[in-house]
Structure formats: structure tokens, C-alpha cells
Amino acid sequence: MTTPTPVTTPFDSETTALEVVRDLDLTGRRAVVTGGASGIGVETARALASAGADVTLAVRNTEAGQRAAAELTGATGNDRILVAPLDLDDLASVAAFVRNWDGPLHMLVNNAGIMASPEMRTEQGWEMQFATNHLGHFALATGLRPALAAAGGARIVSVSSAAHLRSPVVFSDIHFRQRPYDPWLAYGQSKTANVLFAVEATRRWADDGIWTNALMPGAIRTNLQRYISEEELARMRSGNAASFKTPEQGAATSVLVATSPLLDGVGGRYFEDCQEAGPNQPGTRTGWAPYARDPEAAEQLWTVSEEHLKG
């Protein structure tokens, strides 16, 4: 079995999302960005819209979404920026979004998420970070599969994190029913699930022309950290060898994975700083953990996720 050649690009950690699409024309292509009203989500949407794509901001707060859409239209001149309600921890909301979608979908950017939250659970009793960061996006992507297949060469962007290095998916106790709840282990597990999803979605859907990759956007100060104290953020900064990125820089890798011709026919991989990453080296916080790209774990997660959605 040969190892695929890693994807390299002319971009780096300081590249902005707008720079990634500077020479691209996305006219006629349609994108959905979850969590597209703020943070790196709105900057992802800005870059896609600036290159001519039709962009739907899939958001919990539609008033915030409408404000973001108006600002983006004014900034880009693109009036094909829509807003649709989507609450990822509510399967009925996800199902409604899928029902209301019509026509092909070229880019699905699974960007929304929560980080290191206090212990919270959905109405089904699922741990909230796993439910929001993985299960909601899993339901969305599987529901939109026909639209993605109809696009021919569609991309799914699975926004993960270096925090996936904190934990594999603990299949014996995903929802912390036996083990003590730890917000960072729960977050890490959900981010590992985002990488495993990219591996298995590519295996299952590549024949439909659907390619899925995962990525680490970088360390960015956004409202994603709303559950983290300033003291803990300061410790994170002091322990992080890499500089914090701006939201515009943080969105660059998402936009690269969604749009770059260099990724045509490429799936199941993990990117950071606009380059394909290699395996994690002990003592570092870069690259992917072997358990996050384990094909057996990826298949098991898919099966477990389908069982969750069946109720």
C-alpha cells in the first residue's frame, strides 16, 4: 500500500482567507457555513462570498445571522448571502434545515461548535460537546448527502482542533455516564470525532464525488472560548509556541479545504496552517493523532453515530 503524497500549498500560518481565494471564481457554487455569524465562520463566509459563491449562514441566532449577512453583502457586493436557522444540538432543527434545502450543495463547512463547556446534556442525555460538535454535523452531512452528490466534486470541511490530541473517542463511555466529566477531555473527544468523520465519509462517499477533510484552524480568540476564564486563556497563550491568529487567518485553512484546486480528489486528511499535516510527534501540539485517522475507529464511530440518530 502506497502512502499518498502530502498536499502542499503556497500558503502558510499567516495567510488570510481572502488571500486563499484571491485568484478563484466561485460563481455558481453554493456553500453552507455552520456558525457563520461570528468568529472564523463569518470570515470563512466572507471569503467564499467575495469569490462569488452563494453562501448560506446556518446559525442558531438568526438575528445575528441577518446582521452578519448584511455586513458581508456590503463588504463583498454579493447579495446571494442567505440566513437559515440551525441548532446542532436539536435533531429536529437539523432535519428542518435538510428538508428546506433545495438543489446541489458544493461546499459544506462544518464550523460551529462549543469548547470546554460545563457539563450539559441534550434532551436525549447526550454530552453536549459531542452532540453539537459531532452528532449535529453528522446528521447535517448525512441528510445533505444527496445535495452534495448532485454537485459533482463537493467538499465537506470538518473543523477539528489540536485539542483532539487530548482524547480518542471513548466508545465505552462517550457521554461521561461512568467517568467524571472533564470539559477538555469532552472537547478533545468531539474534535477527534471530527477527524474520524472525514476519514469514513471519504471512504463511503468518494464514489459520489464528495471529499471530506479535517483541519485545525489555529489558536484564535473568538466567542468559542466563552466558557474559558481569562486566567485559563492566559495559561493557554503562555503554553502555546505558536502565535494566536486573527480570525481572518484562522479561517484560511477552512477556505483552502473548501476551495483549493490542489485538493481536487483529496479526502480523509488533516490540515493545519494551510498545509497537510503529518502525524503528531510526541511532545508537540501539531499534527494528527494515530487514533484520529484509524479506519476501524472511523467505521465504528459512523455506526455509533447512526445508532444515536435512530433514537
Side-chain angles (χ1 to χ4, degrees):
M1 182 176 176
T2 59
T3 301
T5 302
V7 174
T8 59
T9 82
F11 307 116
D12 59 26
S13 62
E14 296 184 354
T15 300
T16 67
L18 287 172
E19 289 170 339
V20 170
V21 296
R22 178 175 291 161
D23 298 323
L24 298 182
D25 181 3
L26 301 179
T27 304
R29 300 179 72 79
R30 305 172 76 203
V32 168
V33 181
T34 69
S38 64
I40 65 171
V42 74
E43 297 307 325
T44 299
R46 185 187 311 278
L48 299 177
S50 74
D54 297 15
V55 181
T56 297
L57 310 181
V59 295
R60 292 184 66 170
N61 184 336
T62 53
E63 290 185 4
Q66 294 292 354
R67 289 193 296 270
E71 189 275 323
L72 292 174
T73 293
T76 65
N78 184 339
D79 61 2
R80 299 179 308 282
I81 302 172
L82 305 176
V83 177
L86 177 68
D87 186 346
L88 288 164
D89 64 43
D90 180 351
L91 294 182
S93 174
V94 177
F97 185 96
V98 170
R99 281 196 309 272
N100 290 331
W101 185 266
D102 182 46
L105 174 61
H106 302 83
M107 294 166 277
L108 172 59
V109 184
N110 288 336
N111 165 82
I114 55 174
M115 172 192 278
S117 65
E119 184 172 4
M120 298 186 291
R121 296 187 180 274
T122 67
E123 64 179 18
Q124 297 91 341
W126 302 337
E127 190 279 313
M128 188 64 76
Q129 294 188 80
F130 188 81
T132 301
N133 298 348
H134 169 64
L135 288 173
H137 281 128
F138 179 85
L140 181 66
T142 53
L144 291 172
R145 178 185 175 181
L148 292 160
R155 307 272 183 95
I156 303 176
V157 180
S158 190
V159 178
S160 181
S161 167
H164 86 272
L165 298 167
R166 293 176 179 267
S167 178
V169 175
V170 180
F171 290 105
S172 62
D173 190 17
I174 286 174
H175 298 295
F176 291 84
R177 292 187 171 117
Q178 283 79 50
R179 54 185 171 142
Y181 179 74
D182 181 300
W184 282 109
L185 290 181
Y187 182 64
Q189 173 181 247
S190 73
K191 295 289 102 178
T192 292
N194 294 152
V195 187
L196 290 171
F197 170 76
V199 171
E200 185 65 7
T202 295
R203 186 184 75 82
R204 289 172 178 256
W205 295 351
D207 287 346
D208 289 337
I210 303 170
W211 302 95
T212 308
N213 290 287
L215 65 100
M216 158 62 169
I220 310 117
R221 185 68 170 104
T222 69
N223 63 5
L224 179 67
Q225 292 96 22
R226 60 187 173 276
Y227 295 115
I228 304 172
S229 68
E230 289 300 326
E231 292 77 14
E232 190 166 4
L233 278 173
R235 287 195 297 273
M236 290 168 64
R237 289 190 183 96
S238 65
N240 195 327
S243 300
F244 269 56
K245 294 182 179 183
T246 66
E248 294 85 354
Q249 292 169 331
T253 307
S254 293
V255 173
L256 176 94
V257 170
T259 66
S260 175
L262 296 170
L263 273 72
D264 285 346
V266 171
R269 306 194 198 180
Y270 180 82
F271 290 77
E272 54 192 9
D273 294 336
C274 292
Q275 303 290 336
E276 183 178 347
N280 172 253
Q281 300 302 312
T284 71
R285 297 293 295 169
T286 60
W288 45 269
Y291 55 70
R293 291 186 63 191
D294 177 3
E296 291 184 1
E299 186 173 9
Q300 183 178 3
L301 177 64
W302 196 281
T303 299
V304 167
S305 300
E306 288 182 327
E307 290 171 352
H308 277 72
L309 300 190
K310 289 175 183 175

